[in-house]
RNA sequence: GACUCCGUAGCUCAGCUGGUAGAGCAGUUGACUCUUAAUCAACGGGUCGAGGGUUCGAGCCCCUCCGGGGUCACCA
């Protein structure tokens, strides 16, 4: 990037950088800077009676400077928060040379610079706990101005709120919006809590392939890629279910994985193309057992994060206290539509849909139709955590048939705030049944359902060796994080949500300009004058361009030797 | 994918019926030894998202495109 592309403030900062170097100050020193405390520790533990913290060393970002002649206040922000600094000229410059204060601190340091300080803690006349600075070291110079967010009594002024900039430049969001950092700390605590919960029970955390030759375990459109050496297509996983169950076949009795899954589908407030799912499989258990474990786990997370089971989400309060409500899908549909789906065939269900105004199309099988009715008429009603049980067999090809009714499966989903959060089964371990269900999926696929599952013959083979009765559960970590942090968009719980790439304004390359015989320095000048493309250049008269160039050179004090009129004419021919 | 709103200085935003681009903060220079959205004075800072059109004249009106938000649709 040429200097001509920089804003005034960036130029000033680069200039300061140069001056610091001339003064013998390395703006990016290599050595370790050993801190002995943090802002949070001081603010929580400083006691004027005992006068502790009399020899502190800390580091962070300079966020504000209030200069009053020979004394100044500033703010230092580290990971744990902000603390006020008091800087006195004659104390950081005890000798004759006052340049560290007058030049470096007052002029050459900027908001956003990373500094280290030593000093002692005291309380100002206004009653604010502060650090009296004795020495100050520049640790890293910041060349771009930060968004300036001011705060008074908890109210923010000029907050950095543009979602596009916040997501694209998350580092800025994290620097100036401390509440954002809190969301991601909570997200990690959710995951840590879950991991501890499973490890306490002796389950094994495992890793399974993300690149899969057959994208199984769910119905979704995968991303496809290609492996050169094997010369085969590979898919980014849409689920890890089939691999985890192979591990149960292999003899592990409890396995789980925090998995990044990828689905090549639409993006909105609750969908990102890559997302995190925790799946767990435990041998010799059924879905009743899994329901209890799920509610225990979620209650524990709510308590760990909020100290209570009640969590505010938007304008609602959701109570994660055990036990959660339970209702079968059949009863739920009966309750909200009056229709009894039990024993109805596909044609009857289609007729029922017409009656209650649920749209269905030709490609949908019985399972999808029922799913459509539930999604349309029931799902949204479940704000408080509710287990929906016993889904129709057609929509659950990996789930064991219900012990009391072969039309149903032993499956539950946990609904919270009108959305699916968990999905769990008594896993299907009858290999012959499993193959049959896969073949049914194939028929759906032929009918036009582009989400029907692929057949994974190795998975069927593994079941043929025998898988113990097993219950499995998957939970969407992003959606759980949204609930637990009261975030209305998935982008707010992903550090780097997927965005369309930024596009630079179209311009011809420097080489193309230089090919016309234009010296490199003048190419930069032309760009600054908004001649981005050769075609633009060809449209102006040589005399005008000549005048403009010389004028620009003079006005901006570039100090370049002006080109001659002849030279300019040659460029344009 | 449809509809809708938005894109103006480093940040947050004004900009009337089309008539020479504004404010606060940030920045620069100066004043100031306990301030805290520090204060006071002066000054600088803009391809108005991009391209085209209408017009004597476009930040504003029209079209296309780019990026983003929201709503809906799709989505195990």
């Amino acid at each position: 990037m040429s200097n001509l592309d920089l804003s005034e403030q960036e130029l000033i900062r680069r200039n300061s950088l140069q001056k610091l170097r001339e003064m013998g100050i390395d703006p990016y020193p290599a050595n370790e800077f050993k801190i002995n405390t943090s802002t949070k520790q001081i603010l929580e533990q400083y006691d004027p009676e005992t006068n502790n913290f009399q020899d502190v060393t800390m580091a962070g970002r300079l966020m504000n400077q209030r200069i009053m002649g020979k004394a100044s206040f500033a703010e230092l922000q580290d990971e744990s928060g902000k603390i006020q600094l008091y800087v006195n000229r004659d104390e950081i410059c005890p000798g004759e040379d006052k340049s560290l204060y007058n030049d470096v601190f007052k002029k050459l340091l900027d908001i956003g610079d990373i500094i280290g300080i030593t000093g002692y803690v005291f309380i100002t006349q206004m009653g604010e706990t502060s650090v009296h600075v004795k020495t100050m070291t520049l640790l890293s110079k910041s060349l771009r101005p930060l968004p300036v967010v001011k705060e008074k009594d908890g109210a923010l002024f000029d907050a950095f709120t543009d979602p596009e900039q916040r997501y694209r430049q998350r580092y800025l969001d994290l620097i100036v919006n401390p509440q954002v950092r809190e969301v991601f700390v909570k997200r990690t605590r959710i995951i840590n809590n879950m991991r501890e919960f499973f490890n306490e029970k002796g389950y094994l955390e495992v890793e399974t392939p993300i690149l899969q030759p057959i994208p199984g375990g769910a119905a979704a459109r995968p991303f496809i890629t290609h492996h050169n050496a094997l010369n085969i297509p590979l898919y980014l996983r849409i689920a890890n279910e089939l691999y985890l169950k192979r591990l149960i076949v292999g003899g592990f009795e409890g396995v789980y994985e925090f998995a990044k899954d990828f689905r090549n589908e639409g993006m909105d407030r609750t969908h990102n193309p890559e997302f995190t799912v925790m799946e767990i499989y435990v041998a010799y258990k059924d879905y009743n057992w899994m329901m209890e474990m799920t509610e225990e786990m979620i209650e524990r997370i709510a308590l760990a994060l909020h100290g209570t089971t009640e969590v505010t989400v938007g304008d609602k309060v959701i109570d994660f206290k055990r036990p959660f409500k339970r209702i079968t899908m059949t009863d739920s549909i009966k309750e909200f539509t009056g229709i009894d789906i039990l024993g109805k065939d596909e044609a009857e269900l289609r007729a029922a849909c017409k009656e209650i105004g649920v749209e269905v199309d030709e490609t949908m099988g019985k399972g999808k139709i029922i799913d459509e009715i539930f999604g349309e008429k029931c799902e949204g009603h479940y704000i408080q955590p509710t287990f929906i049980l016993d889904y129709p067999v057609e929509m659950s090809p990996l789930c064991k048939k219900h012990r009391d009714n072969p039309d149903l499966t032993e499956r539950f989903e946990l609904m919270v705030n009108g959305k699916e959060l968990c999905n769990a089964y008594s896993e299907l371990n009858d290999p012959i049944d499993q193959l049959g269900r896969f073949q049914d999926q194939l028929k759906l696929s032929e009918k036009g359902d582009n989400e029907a599952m692929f057949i994974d013959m190795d998975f069927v083979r593994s079941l043929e060796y025998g898988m113990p009765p097993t219950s499995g559960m998957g939970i969407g970590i992003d959606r759980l994080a949204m609930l637990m942090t009261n975030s209305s968009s998935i982008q707010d719980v992903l550090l780097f949500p997927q965005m369309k790439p930024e596009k630079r304004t179209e311009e011809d390359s420097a080489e193309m300009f230089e090919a016309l015989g234009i010296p490199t320095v003048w190419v930069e000048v032309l760009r600054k004058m908004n001649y981005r493309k050769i075609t633009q250049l060809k449209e102006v008269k040589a005399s005008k361009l000549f005048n403009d160039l010389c004028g620009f050179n003079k006005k901006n004090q570039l100090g370049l030797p002006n080109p001659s009129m002849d030279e300019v004419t040659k460029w344009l021919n």
Side-chain angles (χ1 to χ4, degrees):
Chain A
M1 186 193 295
S2 81
N3 277 0
L4 288 169
D5 289 326
L6 297 173
S7 71
E8 184 193 29
Q9 294 198 41
E10 288 173 289
L11 287 172
I12 288 166
R13 284 175 181 234
R14 274 161 206 251
N15 196 26
S16 299
L17 183 79
Q18 190 52 40
K19 282 187 188 156
L20 286 162
R21 287 203 160 110
E22 283 163 11
M23 293 176 76
I25 295 171
D26 181 357
Y28 302 103
N31 54 298
E32 177 189 16
F33 189 84
K34 212 164 193 168
I35 60 168
N36 64 15
T37 188
S38 68
T39 63
K40 188 177 175 202
Q41 208 178 2
I42 292 171
L43 294 175
E44 280 177 0
Q45 296 170 18
Y46 175 65
D47 177 7
E49 296 286 314
T50 62
N51 215 21
N52 48 351
F53 293 110
Q54 293 308 289
D55 189 9
V56 300
T57 306
M58 47 199 311
R61 208 179 274 276
L62 189 64
M63 294 305 279
N64 193 352
Q65 280 175 297
R66 295 185 288 277
I67 295 167
M68 293 158 302
K70 293 174 205 156
S72 298
F73 288 92
E75 262 163 39
L76 186 74
Q77 173 171 296
D78 66 12
E79 187 183 4
S80 64
K82 272 188 212 173
I83 194 162
Q84 178 169 265
L85 303 180
Y86 175 76
V87 183
N88 184 296
R89 185 190 69 186
D90 296 323
E91 294 195 45
I92 65 165
C93 304
E96 286 299 305
D97 180 9
K98 305 296 185 192
S99 61
L100 178 62
Y101 182 80
N102 286 337
D103 300 325
V104 177
F105 177 72
K106 278 170 68 173
K107 293 187 181 162
L108 302 179
L109 289 192
D110 292 290
I111 290 177
D113 288 353
I114 294 167
I115 59 169
I117 58 116
T118 64
Y120 59 89
V121 179
F122 74 112
I123 294 181
T124 65
Q125 287 174 16
M126 301 298 287
E128 179 159 347
T129 304
S130 308
V131 180
H132 193 122
V133 175
K134 290 201 289 201
T135 66
M136 179 179 289
T137 314
L138 177 60
L139 299 178
S140 182
K141 180 79 191 147
S142 165
L143 296 181
R144 287 178 183 260
L146 286 174
V148 179
V149 180
K150 298 230 168 189
E151 181 254 321
K152 163 90 169 174
D153 300 330
L156 292 180
F157 299 82
D158 304 326
F160 181 61
T161 52
D162 177 17
E164 180 170 1
Q165 282 191 80
R166 286 186 46 224
Y167 301 146
R168 282 194 198 282
Q169 295 183 272
R170 182 66 91 180
Y171 40 90
L172 287 184
D173 194 26
L174 290 166
I175 291 168
V176 303
N177 292 328
Q179 68 287 2
V180 171
R181 194 179 314 181
E182 203 47 46
V183 167
F184 292 101
V185 170
K186 278 187 181 156
R187 181 185 169 114
T188 298
R189 284 173 61 199
I190 290 170
I191 292 171
N192 288 348
N193 245 280
M194 235 181 242
R195 185 173 276 131
E196 282 162 20
F197 182 69
F198 297 144
N199 288 347
E200 282 164 17
K201 292 176 183 293
Y203 306 143
L204 186 71
E205 181 167 11
V206 297
E207 293 174 283
T208 64
I210 291 169
L211 285 173
Q212 302 181 348
I214 297 169
R221 287 168 62 193
F223 287 91
I224 183 164
T225 184
H226 183 263
H227 190 278
N228 290 340
L230 295 176
N231 193 23
I232 51 165
L234 285 173
Y235 301 86
L236 269 61
R237 73 174 164 206
I238 54 175
N240 53 355
E241 170 157 357
L242 303 187
Y243 284 92
L244 291 176
K245 284 199 262 193
R246 284 175 170 97
L247 295 177
I248 298 292
V249 170
F252 290 117
E253 294 183 3
V255 289
Y256 70 94
E257 178 174 19
F258 288 93
K260 270 289 184 81
D261 287 348
F262 306 83
R263 297 188 183 175
N264 204 343
E265 292 169 350
M267 291 167 62
D268 62 26
R269 220 173 53 247
T270 55
H271 294 82
N272 193 66
E274 59 180 294
F275 59 103
T276 307
V277 173
M278 194 295 303
E279 288 197 39
I280 181 165
Y281 292 81
V282 184
Y284 310 114
K285 308 294 184 190
D286 65 6
Y287 78 142
N288 291 313
W289 177 90
M290 186 60 83
M291 247 182 285
E292 283 177 24
M293 193 193 75
T294 300
E295 59 189 8
E296 185 187 348
M297 175 186 83
I298 291 175
E299 184 193 63
R300 170 177 163 142
I301 289 167
L303 284 169
L305 262 68
H306 300 99
T308 164
T309 56
E310 291 186 7
V311 178
T312 301
V313 180
D315 55 1
K316 305 181 183 85
V317 174
I318 294 175
D319 192 350
F320 290 100
K321 186 163 179 52
R322 285 186 285 169
F324 300 164
K325 274 187 291 183
R326 287 151 207 231
I327 184 169
T328 65
M329 175 167 261
T330 312
D331 286 345
S332 174
I333 289 177
K334 211 182 286 175
E335 182 184 339
F336 289 108
T337 68
I339 296 168
D340 187 354
I341 57 169
L342 271 191
K344 282 205 166 55
D345 65 22
E346 195 175 311
E348 289 170 314
L349 284 170
R350 280 181 195 283
C353 281
K354 210 164 202 177
E355 222 168 277
I356 57 172
V358 170
E359 271 183 54
V360 288
D361 65 54
E362 285 309 303
T363 70
M364 290 178 173
K366 193 173 157 186
K368 264 212 140 176
I369 293 171
I370 294 169
D371 189 34
E372 195 67 23
I373 297 172
F374 181 79
E376 198 70 26
K377 296 289 176 184
C378 310
E379 194 174 71
H381 293 284
Y382 297 107
I383 303 303
Q384 298 302 323
T386 306
F387 288 117
I388 307 296
L389 323 185
D390 301 345
Y391 285 59
V393 65
E394 294 85 353
M395 56 192 288
S396 314
L398 300 168
C399 185
K400 190 176 274 192
K401 279 181 185 155
H402 198 279
R403 59 195 80 178
D404 301 326
N405 183 343
D407 291 339
L408 302 177
T409 53
E410 297 206 352
R411 170 179 182 181
F412 72 80
E413 288 195 358
L414 177 62
M415 298 290 158
V416 184
N417 203 24
K419 293 226 163 55
E420 174 197 344
L421 181 62
C422 303
N423 184 20
Y425 310 144
S426 295
E427 301 295 337
L428 178 56
N429 62 347
D430 174 343
I432 294 167
D433 190 359
Q434 181 66 79
L435 183 59
R437 304 266 202 105
F438 274 144
Q439 283 161 343
D440 290 343
Q441 289 289 306
L442 202 61
K443 282 182 206 139
L444 284 178
S445 175
E446 283 159 4
K447 202 173 164 186
D449 183 344
N450 58 13
E451 288 176 348
M453 289 187 192
F454 294 70
I455 300 185
D456 185 336
M457 284 312 294
D458 174 68
F459 174 66
V460 175
R461 179 168 64 185
S462 76
L463 293 187
E464 286 168 356
Y465 287 97
M467 180 173 86
T470 296
S471 185
M473 186 268 288
I475 178 167
I477 298 296
D478 308 295
R479 290 191 185 172
L480 181 63
M482 285 169 68
L483 287 171
M484 292 293 171
T485 60
N486 192 14
S487 302
S488 58
S489 165
I490 197 170
Q491 296 172 112
D492 289 324
V493 298
L494 297 172
L495 281 166
F496 300 102
Q498 196 58 244
M499 303 282 272
K500 275 202 182 182
E502 288 178 271
K503 222 176 185 175
R504 299 183 146 255
T505 47
E506 247 182 72
E507 59 179 29
D508 289 332
S509 69
E511 288 73 28
M512 290 171 74
F513 280 90
E514 283 163 19
L516 301 176
I518 306 172
T520 311
V521 282
W522 290 107
V523 172
E524 287 185 15
V525 172
L526 285 168
R527 287 190 167 171
K528 186 66 181 174
M529 291 166 70
N530 276 322
Y531 291 104
R532 300 281 170 180
K533 308 193 72 147
I534 306 285
T535 48
Q536 285 174 286
L537 208 55
K538 296 282 185 186
E539 281 167 15
V540 292
K541 284 185 180 161
S543 54
K544 175 176 162 49
L545 187 64
F546 172 70
N547 274 323
D548 288 353
L549 280 172
C550 299
F552 192 88
N553 185 21
K554 191 177 176 190
K555 185 183 169 212
N556 292 283
Q557 302 181 352
L558 302 178
L560 299 168
N562 282 329
S564 71
M565 179 66 199
D566 279 352
E567 286 173 303
V568 174
T569 311
K570 270 185 210 154
W571 299 348
L572 299 189
N573 290 325

